[in-house]
Amino acid sequence: MRLTMVLAAMAAMGGAPAAAQEPPIVVQARGAGLIGERFDGYLGYVTAPSDALRRQVSTINIRRRSLYSNLAASRKATPQEVGIAASCTLFARVPVGGYYLASEGGWQRRAPGQAAPRPDYCG
């Protein structure tokens, strides 16, 4: 399956985009439960964002889209497949108290003692 190949490529590249490069407003919004990781490899809004947060999240998602498109071209996959593969790594980084949106729908919060979310397609 192409998703398996994309997952292998993501692992070889060091995984998904690093959260350490995020601006303070995004880090604070994550901690406050305003944003979270989505199953498609992009950041999403748990609650209505401020204009400043919307701009920062949009910038991050544009960078991710570019990364996914470039990797897709080199792996004969679609950017959507790469984004979904990236979500496997991004979900593994969701901290306790952090939010994530699984493909089944509905934002979920990682509880203390709960393992990092791992969708079935992540293998």
Side-chain angles (χ1 to χ4, degrees), residues 56-106:
Q56 292 299 320
V57 168
S58 178
T59 298
I60 290 168
N61 283 340
I62 288 168
R63 287 184 190 141
R64 288 183 181 187
R65 186 177 307 118
S66 176
L67 174 67
Y68 300 160
S69 294
N70 290 338
L71 185 57
S74 69
R75 295 290 173 180
K76 295 187 170 104
T78 67
Q80 293 79 16
E81 288 172 322
V82 175
I84 290 169
S87 74
C88 296
T89 301
L90 293 166
F91 275 22
R93 296 179 186 164
V94 171
V96 170
Y99 282 85
Y100 60 96
L101 179 64
S103 60
E104 300 85 44

